[in-house]
Amino acid sequence: MRKVMDGAVYDTSCAVIDKKFTSGVPGDPYGYEETLYITKDGLYFIYTNGGYKSKYPRESITPIDKADVRAWVLSR
C-alpha cells in the first residue's frame, strides 16, 4: 500500500518492517494486524488491516512520530 501525506511517501513495498502485531488467525473476521514500518528517510508509519468485523476492516497507513514509537510498541 502506498500513501502520500504532507509531502511524505509511505509505501509498504519500500519501507522496512520494524515490529508486527497480529490478533486472531487468517480468515478470522475479528482478526487484524498492525505493522510498524520505517522509511529510508527515517519516517515511521503503522500499516493496519483486518477482517470485516475487526477494528481495521480496511487497510490504512498512519504516520507516527519517532517519539511515540516506543509507547506504541510497549502498548502491544
Side-chain angles (χ1 to χ4, degrees):
M1 177 177 195
R2 183 176 191 270
K3 193 171 188 179
V4 178
M5 291 183 283
D6 297 326
V9 177
Y10 302 96
D11 189 341
T12 58
S13 67
C14 299
V16 176
I17 294 175
D18 191 341
K19 301 286 183 210
K20 186 171 190 170
F21 173 78
T22 58
S23 176
V25 295
D28 179 356
Y30 294 95
Y32 62 89
E33 66 179 38
E34 300 173 323
T35 309
L36 177 67
Y37 284 87
I38 184 168
T39 69
K40 65 179 178 173
D41 296 327
L43 300 174
Y44 287 88
F45 66 95
I46 300 169
Y47 166 82
T48 54
N49 194 19
Y52 70 96
K53 291 186 176 183
S54 74
K55 62 182 182 178
Y56 305 115
R58 285 181 269 248
E59 65 180 346
S60 181
I61 287 179
T62 306
I64 183 171
D65 290 329
K66 187 175 183 177
D68 297 327
V69 168
R70 180 175 166 80
W72 182 84
V73 170
L74 293 175
S75 71
R76 299 306 163 279

